[in-house]
């Protein structure tokens, strides 16, 4: 119930099983609902290379490739404080950039640990 006393209806975003099956049928010659014919197995399932699959469905790997406008907090360089404004960006490109920075940080910290360990152990052996 909402604050007016009316019951609110919730719409489901998921497809029913019948709607999912419609993807595998094409309209028949009559064009009517009752004259659908089933797609061949070759048209439903297709063998693709890894590159073809990535190019066909990039959102599976990196997220959406469509531009999105979203309200975000950003730094106003003129006045050196944060302001809220609408930003348009591509989530897939953001994900790639984030992955590069995250990997760089991870490998850099591992490198520093290995370097510090090597320097520390070599100074111990040199003093013996």
């Amino acid at each position: 119930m909402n604050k007016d006393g009316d019951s609110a209806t919730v719409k489901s975003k998921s497809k029913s099983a019948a709607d999912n099956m419609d993807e595998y049928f094409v309209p028949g010659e009559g064009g009517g609902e009752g004259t659908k014919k089933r797609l061949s197995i070759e048209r439903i399932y297709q063998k693709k290379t890894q590159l073809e699959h990535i190019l066909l469905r990039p959102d599976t790997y990196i997220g959406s490739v469509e531009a999105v406008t979203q309200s975000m907090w950003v730094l106003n360089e003129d006045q050196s404080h944060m302001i809220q404004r609408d930003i348009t960006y591509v989530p897939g490109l953001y994900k790639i950039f984030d992955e590069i920075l995250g990997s760089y940080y991870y490998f850099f910290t591992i490198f520093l640990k290995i370097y510090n360990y090597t320097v520390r152990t070599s100074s111990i052996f040199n003093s013996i």
Side-chain angles (χ1 to χ4, degrees):
M1 294 270 236
N2 60 16
K3 50 185 163 175
D4 297 331
D6 299 335
S7 62
T9 57
V10 178
K11 292 184 179 179
S12 173
K13 291 186 179 185
S14 64
K15 289 182 174 181
S16 69
D19 291 338
N20 285 334
M21 288 306 294
D22 284 343
E23 296 174 5
Y24 302 116
F25 290 95
V26 291
E29 296 169 8
E33 191 67 28
T35 60
K36 290 183 178 179
K37 58 183 180 177
R38 191 166 181 75
L39 286 175
S40 67
I41 195 78
E42 290 81 16
R43 293 202 44 203
I44 296 172
Y45 301 103
Q46 297 175 354
K47 177 82 172 147
K48 299 197 180 312
T49 65
Q50 199 169 20
L51 179 61
E52 289 172 333
H53 192 267
I54 290 169
L55 293 175
L56 182 65
R57 292 184 176 83
D59 54 332
T60 304
Y61 298 94
I62 62 168
S64 177
V65 293
E66 302 293 325
V68 186
T69 301
Q70 188 174 9
S71 181
M72 293 184 169
W73 289 94
V74 294
L75 179 65
N76 184 353
E77 294 179 14
D78 299 335
Q79 300 173 0
S80 298
H81 67 279
M82 301 292 285
I83 60 171
Q84 191 173 17
R85 66 178 206 181
D86 290 339
I87 300 292
T88 302
Y89 69 101
V90 178
L93 289 177
Y94 175 80
K95 173 73 174 173
I96 291 171
F97 185 74
D98 179 54
E99 189 68 28
I100 291 168
L101 290 180
S103 297
Y104 172 78
Y105 175 76
Y106 173 75
F107 287 114
F108 185 72
T109 55
I110 295 296
F111 173 76
L112 283 180
K113 288 179 182 177
I114 292 171
Y115 178 76
N116 287 335
Y117 177 77
T118 306
V119 169
R120 202 169 359 127
T121 55
S122 65
S123 66
I124 292 172
F125 290 122
N126 288 339
S127 65
I128 294 180

